[in-house]
Amino acid sequence: MKMLHSFLLLWVLMVTVSAQQGDEPITYLCTEGYEFSLEEQECKDINECDTLPDACKGGMSCINHYGGYFCLPQNAQIFISNGDQEPTTTTRAPPPHLIPLPAGPNHRSNYQITSNQAGNQGRPISVQCPVGFTGDEYNFCRDVNECVPSSPCQHQCYNLPGSFLCQCDQGYELTADQLNCHDVDECQLSSYMCQWQCVNQPGSYSCMCPEGYQLQGTRMCQDINECETGSNCPEDQMCWNYFGGYRCYPRNPCQVPYIQTSEGRCSCQSLSTCRGLPPSIVYKYMSITSERSVPADIFRIQATSVFPNMHNTFRIKAGNEDGQFFLRRSSNVSAMLVMARPLIGPREHVLDLEMVTQNSALSYRSSSLLRLTIVVGPYTF
């Protein structure tokens, strides 16, 4: 056993010395299966057959070896040899392929196991290793690296003691065989992946925006201002950008008997000709997104001139036949246009908002008209 000990003993001695005052104790750490002997100043094998109660069950014999132990049937026959002398019989054993090995990445048998079956003549029989391990020339059970030279995994392979693990690249997931990978359709995971349209790609996805919009970041769509990037409006027309597109409107919207007095303002110069008509018409333009939540304040109308003792009233004179809007009076000189129903685009609404100014004591009455063009975009963004 001394010679066997010198041939097989593998242990690691780690010494930790604390450097305070020189009087701190020295700690000796041995590898698992050994303990430090103060008398002999070395790591000694632990006999688990003595220290572990019921180390082997089912009537099996406990055989201690350096750093561990075996459990063998009672009729096992084991021959121990150091290579220089005839092996000595220790105990009897069943066929060696039934002998269990301890778990771990590398298992070493310190025994040559032979069979006394007829015709074998005591020749050594290799110990059968667990699945995922293979024996070597030193009677070790070495872990088989299934990931090399040919990986069973479609993407990434990670070797494990006695096994392996497959992992897919980002955007893929394992199939039922746990070896192959298939693409994850991120667009099916949620309807909020993209603001407009989600396009699945191998291992990924991308967001697309409709015409008139550009991608902002990775999923949001931002309106393109075609009036700034270059429109095709003629010289006598102005460009008006709205959500998802643009439109061209006349630079001079005034029609007889009105003439243009400033940008977007038309005035009547003849009182007799314009009898019964508002003395001025102001043109304004605005855009809103489709299906905007309601009620929503969208436009304020306000008097530009304030006269004492005058009373102002506001009304939607034309363009609200379906009742999508109403005017809410804010003060004597202003009112708020409120959208009462959600509008679905693309669509254009033209509203005539009238302010009537009057003084009963002076028998004075006048009106002004604001022609508001509302362009509803085709999308909710």
Side-chain angles (χ1 to χ4, degrees):
M1 294 298 289
K2 290 289 185 178
M3 298 181 64
L4 180 63
H5 175 229
S6 61
F7 178 72
L8 298 173
L9 178 58
L10 297 174
W11 51 269
V12 178
L13 174 63
M14 299 176 59
V15 181
T16 305
V17 181
S18 300
Q20 289 185 351
Q21 305 299 327
D23 57 353
E24 291 293 329
I26 299 176
T27 302
Y28 299 91
L29 299 177
C30 298
T31 190
E32 185 177 0
Y34 294 85
E35 61 183 357
F36 188 75
S37 173
L38 293 176
E39 295 178 357
E40 301 181 27
Q41 291 293 299
E42 65 177 359
C43 289
K44 304 289 289 184
D45 174 56
I46 299 173
N47 190 339
E48 290 86 357
C49 295
D50 293 338
T51 59
L52 295 178
D54 298 328
C56 297
K57 300 184 183 298
M60 301 187 75
S61 298
C62 180
I63 307 298
N64 183 64
H65 75 96
Y66 295 103
Y69 66 97
F70 287 113
C71 293
L72 301 179
Q74 294 290 344
N75 60 348
Q77 183 178 2
I78 300 176
F79 295 90
I80 304 175
S81 175
N82 60 8
D84 297 331
Q85 58 185 10
E86 292 297 322
T88 59
T89 302
T90 60
T91 184
R92 300 190 60 83
H97 64 276
L98 297 178
I99 297 177
L101 294 177
N106 294 307
H107 307 294
R108 176 165 183 168
S109 170
N110 292 325
Y111 308 96
Q112 288 184 337
I113 304 176
T114 63
S115 172
N116 290 331
Q117 295 177 356
N120 189 61
Q121 299 178 356
R123 290 191 298 271
I125 298 178
S126 298
V127 176
Q128 182 176 353
C129 296
V131 177
F133 297 87
T134 184
D136 62 10
E137 66 273 19
Y138 301 108
N139 210 19
F140 274 90
C141 282
R142 300 281 188 182
D143 174 52
V144 176
N145 189 343
E146 294 86 354
C147 297
V148 293
S150 178
S151 171
C153 303
Q154 183 178 1
H155 287 177
Q156 303 173 31
C157 180
Y158 296 93
N159 186 55
L160 300 175
S163 184
F164 66 95
L165 175 68
C166 293
Q167 184 174 341
C168 298
D169 296 337
Q170 184 175 358
Y172 294 84
E173 61 183 4
L174 285 170
T175 57
D177 61 9
Q178 298 297 304
L179 298 175
N180 295 292
C181 300
H182 70 84
D183 175 56
V184 175
D185 189 349
E186 293 86 354
C187 299
Q188 298 298 323
L189 299 179
S190 172
S191 58
Y192 299 98
M193 299 296 292
C194 299
Q195 189 174 26
W196 187 61
Q197 183 176 351
C198 179
V199 179
N200 185 59
Q201 297 174 348
S204 183
Y205 72 98
S206 61
C207 294
M208 294 185 62
C209 295
E211 184 179 1
Y213 290 84
Q214 61 186 358
L215 194 65
Q216 183 182 31
T218 58
R219 61 174 300 271
M220 304 299 292
C221 293
Q222 183 181 39
D223 174 56
I224 298 174
N225 191 336
E226 292 86 355
C227 297
E228 294 180 354
T229 59
S231 65
N232 296 319
C233 294
E235 288 294 328
D236 62 340
Q237 293 185 349
M238 67 173 186
C239 178
W240 176 258
N241 181 73
Y242 67 91
F243 292 102
Y246 71 97
R247 295 195 179 189
C248 300
Y249 294 105
R251 293 186 180 276
N252 181 7
C254 304
Q255 298 179 0
V256 178
Y258 295 93
I259 62 172
Q260 187 175 24
T261 55
S262 62
E263 183 179 354
R265 178 179 290 274
C266 301
S267 300
C268 187
Q269 302 298 308
S270 173
L271 295 178
S272 59
T273 306
C274 296
R275 186 178 301 274
L277 297 175
S280 67
I281 301 176
V282 177
Y283 288 83
K284 294 290 183 180
Y285 306 89
M286 68 172 297
S287 61
I288 60 175
T289 57
S290 184
E291 299 182 66
R292 184 173 174 177
S293 59
V294 293
D297 296 348
I298 61 173
F299 189 83
R300 180 182 296 275
I301 180 173
Q302 186 164 343
T304 56
S305 301
V306 180
F307 301 97
N309 300 321
M310 294 294 177
H311 179 73
N312 297 305
T313 58
F314 303 90
R315 67 167 180 159
I316 302 176
K317 187 175 182 180
N320 193 32
E321 290 75 15
D322 295 331
Q324 295 103 329
F325 308 92
F326 68 89
L327 274 174
R328 185 182 69 242
R329 180 184 174 90
S330 303
S331 66
N332 183 47
V333 295
S334 64
M336 176 66 69
L337 180 66
V338 181
M339 184 172 66
R341 298 180 184 177
L343 303 178
I344 300 176
R347 187 175 178 181
E348 182 181 82
H349 293 265
V350 179
L351 299 178
D352 283 350
L353 307 179
E354 184 182 44
M355 182 182 73
V356 177
T357 303
Q358 57 187 352
N359 187 317
S360 301
L362 299 178
S363 299
Y364 174 83
R365 188 181 186 279
S366 180
S367 67
S368 59
L369 190 71
L370 188 149
R371 184 158 290 166
L372 177 65
T373 300
I374 303 173
V375 181
V376 184
Y379 307 103
T380 59
F381 46 86

